[in-house]
Structures are given as structure tokens and as C-alpha cells.
Amino acid sequence: MATEEKPAILVVTPMPAAPTSAGNRRRLSATCETLRRGGFAIDLAYLQHEDQVYRRFGQHPPTDAAAMGAAFDRVFSIPAATPIPLKTWTGGFAIDAWCPPELDDFVAWYFERSPDTCAIVVNYVFLSRCLNAVPKGVLRVIDTHDRFADRNLQYRPFRAEPNFFYTDRASEAVGLSRADMILAIQSAEADYFRGLVDRDVYLLPPVFAERAKFRAPGRLTRFGFIGHGNDPNLFSIGKFAHGWAASWRPDLPVLVIAGEICGSLNGLDLPGVQLAGYVDAVETFYAGVDAVVAPMLMGSGLKMKVAEALSLGRPVIGTRIAFEGFDTDHPAHRLEGVADTVAAVLSLHDDPDALATLTAACADLLARYNAKAAICEAAWLDAIPRRSARRASSPAARAPDVSTTVGAGIIVREECSLRSLPVADEDGCILVATENPSPATAREAGYPSERRRWFVSPMPDGSLPPSGPAPALPGGPVSLSPEWIHRRSLPRPVREAIAGSLGDAQADWRADGRLIGYEADGLTVVTCVPSFLVARSRATAAFLLGDGEAARELRLTGTAALARAPGLAFAATRGELNPVPASLTFEPLEIDGSASPITAARETLSHPKAVLFLSDDLVGLICLAPERNTRLEVQ
């Protein structure tokens, strides 16, 4: 007798499902686990929003494509070619400001090829426009995660603006109205959504099964906080850490902070506070602390860090905001701010009876929470219609396709695989660039998650002078890995060899330029460039490319906006790259060997070609016109 195939659901998300290093990823993972327990097969569509954002901040995106490929029936990666705005100076973002047209195209493409999929679950209301591309008869669900109307008001006490989406009530209602069903993570937000739109609203707090037994500590020696580097975490733990340090003595417990947030707390050197950095397994972190602190001063939704700590058997001390969505009356769960939370830790740290009472209250809280969550889960699963789905067989895992080439003193290792997480491979090569296909190319290939990646290392014998031409790096669109650019993690001759190989890469912006002179202190070029380059608001590496000559790394030492445009062409693939007429002054970096820096620059300039700019996720190119008179005055 043939086994009945599982009904299929498409889950659309702007963040990767792995690693689960942030609260929104843990929510996504928990919802997918609920669907699996309900007997559904899941196709995951990852709009590469977070990858784009991380690269724009000069960071490598923590995305594990291999883990996602193993966890879901099919995984589709949707290039986010349209830049997502991170700031708005109005009352809020338009509801579709963060939904690029590439996602609409994907959803239409998917349902043309998967007509038996019974439902779509879209994470976040700001991606709701893609539901307009869903055919009739398919259940449309929005998992809200949070309330986004007037979210900016929480930031006013901190004199800051959110770095995440927010909007107004009318816009949020428009987005939610596109769905048949709405998921809320906690009761107060479920009531808010019911008052906003006439749609079925289901409460779906994630189930956090007990993964470790509660054990009451006799004394606190180390208590911890682990989290993502978002604004609520940064504001809250930053203020708490300073408050704790002000009260700390050597006989008091140490506050241990871990997770991605540590990358945004570099330089935080306070007594009684330890930065543990990113941890590969949260279990290791929780096993190393006696209790957890959640001193949240802002935020909405459900605090996943609280539920996670409880599921791993650790008592939690936190503010009223941290425990929103949990049914608790223990005083250590209803604190009002930093001073109250510091006082609670000081009161509890050496009181075994009080710690035992708190631990018992936490165990009871988790049991009651999970019982309620299980009832909510069953109600939601019963409401999802089922029909048989035609499933495509998942591709078998295969070894990466690897090729290695050598030249110009470097080794280039090209790999086509799902391994998106590492910034270096097992041989110590540094990740330099990742293939970034256009939406049209991705559509033709079926939106695969596999990508070509290029890793580079110096020649093992340390001989960096050229040994033949530099190996070819990609000629199409790529996403740069920012670490080797910003941290200078490769030697200068290696960086120059890479730049020479990237000279034919598809540029995000391109301009004509005129060399107006070189002196002992550098080179000056008149051109039009993106405004960020004049403001020098992004870390940028520059390389001089000569016709037939090796690339030379330059240091941008001066920029000046010009009052009058020099009449030189400028083109960009991104609308936010606004051109500014400017003069740029460069100083060549120290050159190895007997030739002086300016002599080496003159050799390259004997056949001038271009200046290549590498910054975050951008490739820029100024094409230099031959100029006989190198001492022209800028008008």
C-alpha cells in the first residue's frame, strides 16, 4: 500500500532558519517544528534580507545554508537585489517598503510549479504584499512576531530611532488584511490584532520542551545574558552592565554576556562583567552560568531568551517587559528597570532559600506555559486545511565542487556548495567573495541555495612576487566578504592580487574620472562618486589598476565635494547610490622592494586603467581617461 504523501506548506522568511542565533530565528524554527508535528512537509523560501543587511554593516552574514538544506524538504534562496531601507524620517515605513519585487516574482513562480501546496506562512507583516501573488484556494497566513505600529515610541526614552521596521496602525491593518489567518506570539498582541482587522487570529506561543532539569543553585557565582545584537538587547544589557559594574565587588557574581551582541559591545571593559563572544551551542553557555538575567527595558513580542533559558533548566531574573506573555507573579519576574534588577540579583545571589523558591517558580512557570502553548498549537493545526501534495524528492547531499588555481603569489580555491557560514575554509583560506545571482538567473535555476565561493591564501612558501597572472575571480555579480577588506586579514600583496582579479567583476557603481595630477604625497582624481565615499562613512579599500601592470593598493587621504559637476559619466545599479562631483586624493601604500611608492604608482599610471573600490557589499570602478597634463587645476 502506497504511503500517503504529506500536505505541503511554503514558509517565507527574511531571516535564515539556521543558525538559531537570534530570537526571530528561534521563533521561525519553533513554528516550523509545530508544522512538522502536525504532519506537514515544509518548503522554505529565504529572502536574503539579512545577508544584505549584515554586509551593509561590514559583517559576514551568519547563514548556514547546509543546515537549512538538511532541515526542510526544499529550500529556495531569493536574492534581494533591491536595497532595503533601514531608516525613515517619517512616522513609519510604508507597509511594503521592505518587500522587494523579487519576492512577489518568486511566490508567483513557486505556485505555478507547486499547485498542490495547501498554505503559505509569511514571517512578518512587512512581507505581506507577496500574498497577492498566491492563487485562490491556498490558505494565507502571517506570523506577526511583533506588533509594528508605533514601535518607534519605545525608543523615545533612549533618544534613538529603530533600526528595524515600524509603521502606523493603518498601514499595519492593510498588511494584515491580505491574510486569511494571523498568528500572534502572546495574548496582548492577539487582542490588538483582533481589534485591528477582521481576520482569524490564533495565539501561537512556541512550545519550549524541557531540555534540562531545573537545579537550584546554592549561590550565584556567574549569571548570564545571551542575545543577538538588536537595539532592545543593546540598550537593555548595556545599561544593566553599567549598573551592575557600579555595584560590583569581588565577592559578587560575574555577569557573563554571550552571543552575537558581543560584536557590538567591543571595548566594554567593566568590573564584574565578562564578554564571552559568540558560542556555537547555547547549551554550553547555559551550563556555565547559575542563573540568567533578562533586564529588558523595551521590546515587544515574546522574549525567546526567557523561554530558552527556562527550557534549559536555568532560573531567570527579569523585568516585567521581559516576562510579557508569561503568566507569572514572582517578584523577580516583575522588576521595573535596571536598579530593581541589580537589587534583585544582590538580594538573591547568596540566599539559597530564595534561590530555591525562584527556581521552583521558574519550573512551574515553564510547565504552565508549555501546557497553554500545546493547546494553542493543536487549535491552529486543526484550522489548516489539508490536501495531498505532489512532493519533489529532495536532492541528495553531495560533496562540494572544488577547483584550485595558482598565480601572482596567491592560491584561489573556488567551491560550489551550501557551506555559507565559514569565513575561512579548513585549509586557512579566507573567504573573499560569494556568487550573487540576479533574480532572473535564480529563477531560471530554480532559486537554488548552492553558491560559488572564492577562498584565497598566500603561496605556502611565502613567495609573494608574481608567478604568472592572477587567477580569474568572478566576472558576474558577487557579494564581498567584508572581513578581508576591513580587517586587512590578508597581506597587502595578496590583497592587490585579489583586486587585480576583481577588475572585471560586475560593478555596483561605475564612473569616468580624470587624473589631474600626482605629486610626492599622492594622486588626485576628479570624478563623480556615491555620496558615502565623499562622507567616508563606510570602510573602503581602493586599488589602482594599470593596463598590464599589477594592482596597487591606495589609501584615500582626502575628499572634497565640487561646486560644479565635471561633466563625467556616472551609473549605478542601486538607486540609493547618489552621485556627488568630487576630487579624491590618494596616497600609495608602502611598496615592497627598491622602488619608491610614487615611482611604483608612476609605473602603473604609464598605462592607467581604473581605480577599484571595495566597500562592504559594493564594488565600484572609476575608469580613468588618459591625461597628458597631470597638473591641471580644478576649476
Side-chain angles (χ1 to χ4, degrees):
M1 183 176 178
T3 303
E4 184 179 354
E5 293 177 331
K6 295 179 179 179
I9 289 180
L10 174 65
V11 174
V12 176
T13 169
M15 63 278 184
T20 53
S21 54
N24 59 351
R25 299 183 185 204
R26 288 191 284 273
R27 167 62 172 182
L28 170 64
S29 177
T31 302
C32 290
E33 284 300 317
T34 292
L35 291 170
R36 290 190 188 98
R37 286 192 290 269
F40 292 95
I42 304 173
D43 287 342
L44 185 78
Y46 169 42
L47 171 67
Q48 293 177 280
H49 177 167
E50 280 203 4
D51 277 34
Q52 182 195 98
V53 172
Y54 270 89
R55 292 184 192 280
R56 283 162 66 179
F57 282 96
Q59 302 170 21
H60 185 77
T63 304
D64 194 339
M68 290 193 288
F72 295 91
D73 284 53
R74 293 184 294 182
V75 176
F76 303 94
S77 292
I78 307 160
T82 305
I84 293 146
L86 300 181
K87 288 287 187 182
T88 178
W89 305 114
T90 63
F93 289 98
I95 190 61
D96 299 325
W98 281 25
C99 186
E102 299 90 73
L103 181 58
D104 303 338
D105 294 342
F106 166 79
V107 170
W109 174 92
Y110 172 88
F111 281 101
E112 285 176 1
R113 288 156 180 78
S114 304
D116 296 320
T117 298
C118 64
I120 176 173
V121 178
V122 171
N123 285 268
Y124 291 115
V125 68
F126 55 74
L127 296 186
S128 62
R129 190 184 63 203
C130 74
L131 294 176
N132 294 335
V134 176
K136 292 182 179 179
V138 176
L139 179 69
R140 299 167 299 168
V141 183
I142 294 176
D143 189 359
T144 56
H145 285 254
D146 291 288
R147 167 186 172 172
F148 288 105
D150 304 324
R151 193 168 181 265
N152 55 314
L153 300 182
Q154 300 180 43
Y155 286 71
R156 286 187 176 175
F158 302 94
R159 297 183 179 180
E161 282 289 317
N163 280 320
F164 201 67
F165 185 85
Y166 66 96
T167 191
D168 54 41
R169 285 174 60 95
S171 297
E172 189 161 39
V174 168
L176 294 173
S177 296
R178 293 164 172 163
D180 305 307
M181 181 182 291
I182 296 163
L183 302 181
I185 201 168
Q186 50 128 307
S187 299
E189 291 181 359
D191 292 341
Y192 163 74
F193 295 134
R194 290 187 184 105
L196 194 63
V197 291
D198 182 18
R199 293 292 184 271
D200 291 331
V201 177
Y202 283 80
L203 177 62
L204 188 70
V207 174
F208 276 88
E210 185 180 286
R211 296 154 63 187
K213 295 293 183 183
F214 280 92
R215 185 186 71 254
R219 187 176 190 277
L220 299 185
T221 57
R222 291 162 60 87
F223 69 112
F225 178 95
I226 184 169
H228 183 64
N230 57 39
D231 289 341
N233 285 343
L234 284 169
F235 290 147
S236 301
I237 196 60
K239 289 185 176 295
F240 178 79
H242 282 88
W244 178 249
S247 301
W248 189 77
R249 307 183 308 268
D251 62 316
L252 292 174
V254 172
L255 168 64
V256 182
I257 304 173
E260 283 184 42
I261 192 171
C262 292
S264 301
L265 294 172
N266 286 336
L268 184 72
D269 184 13
L270 298 172
V273 179
Q274 175 188 339
L275 297 184
Y278 184 84
V279 293
D280 291 327
V282 294
E283 294 84 357
T284 303
F285 166 76
Y286 286 111
V289 297
D290 303 307
V292 169
V293 65
M296 305 310 297
L297 304 176
M298 63 182 300
S300 53
L302 188 83
K303 309 307 177 290
M304 305 294 277
K305 61 180 67 64
V306 171
E308 181 180 74
L310 295 173
S311 73
L312 285 161
R314 287 295 175 265
V316 181
I317 303 163
T319 60
R320 187 185 303 271
I321 291 175
F323 279 87
E324 284 179 351
F326 296 91
D327 182 18
T328 177
D329 289 319
H330 193 283
H333 298 161
R334 304 179 69 81
L335 303 168
E336 292 300 334
V338 168
D340 276 2
T341 309
V342 169
V345 176
L346 292 173
S347 172
L348 288 164
H349 90 278
D350 200 20
D351 187 338
D353 291 337
L355 288 170
T357 299
L358 172 64
T359 303
C362 288
D364 179 64
L365 172 62
L366 179 64
R368 288 185 287 108
Y369 167 84
N370 275 331
K372 178 181 178 180
I375 293 171
C376 293
E377 175 181 296
W380 180 51
L381 291 174
D382 285 345
I384 301 175
R386 295 168 180 263
R387 61 185 184 202
S388 63
R390 184 179 70 247
R391 304 303 304 141
S393 58
S394 299
R398 60 184 180 88
D401 294 332
V402 178
S403 63
T404 301
T405 52
V406 178
I410 63 174
I411 299 172
V412 177
R413 184 175 178 273
E414 178 182 320
E415 171 183 300
C416 184
S417 73
L418 290 172
R419 296 194 317 137
S420 55
L421 199 56
V423 296
D425 68 6
E426 53 273 10
D427 297 323
C429 295
I430 301 297
L431 178 64
V432 168
T434 301
E435 178 186 20
N436 186 27
S438 69
T441 302
R443 186 187 307 113
E444 291 169 3
Y447 296 92
S449 296
E450 280 194 339
R451 294 285 186 271
R452 289 190 299 162
R453 294 180 174 82
W454 290 267
F455 298 83
V456 175
S457 66
M459 294 283 284
D461 59 3
S463 58
L464 290 172
S467 55
L473 280 167
V478 296
S479 291
L480 298 174
S481 183
E483 286 78 9
W484 73 274
I485 299 170
H486 299 164
R487 300 175 189 169
R488 300 294 196 267
S489 54
L490 290 167
R492 180 194 53 76
V494 173
R495 298 197 302 272
E496 291 179 341
I498 294 170
S501 300
L502 283 170
D504 293 326
Q506 181 173 315
D508 298 286
W509 61 270
R510 184 182 294 265
D512 289 341
R514 188 169 66 246
L515 177 70
I516 65 169
Y518 53 77
E519 303 292 345
D521 59 348
L523 319 169
T524 302
V525 174
V526 170
T527 183
C528 287
V529 293
S531 56
F532 77 82
L533 198 58
V534 177
R536 302 175 75 172
S537 58
R538 300 187 188 186
T540 303
F543 300 87
L544 188 64
L545 307 180
D547 190 5
E549 300 288 342
R552 299 291 186 187
E553 187 165 4
L554 303 174
R555 181 183 294 111
L556 181 62
T557 56
T559 62
L562 301 179
R564 191 171 67 185
L568 296 168
F570 177 90
T573 60
R574 301 188 182 184
E576 86 278 13
L577 298 175
N578 300 313
V580 174
S583 66
L584 308 178
T585 302
F586 303 91
E587 176 184 313
L589 294 187
E590 191 69 30
I591 306 295
D592 297 335
S594 58
S596 69
I598 201 63
T599 300
R602 284 175 186 268
E603 292 174 357
T604 302
L605 283 169
S606 62
H607 300 286
K609 181 182 177 183
V611 180
L612 176 73
F613 294 87
L614 306 177
S615 56
D616 297 346
D617 62 335
L618 297 175
V619 177
L621 200 65
I622 297 178
C623 300
L624 298 175
E627 182 60 69
R628 296 294 182 186
N629 183 356
T630 60
R631 297 179 181 277
L632 294 177
E633 295 295 329
V634 180
Q635 297 299 318

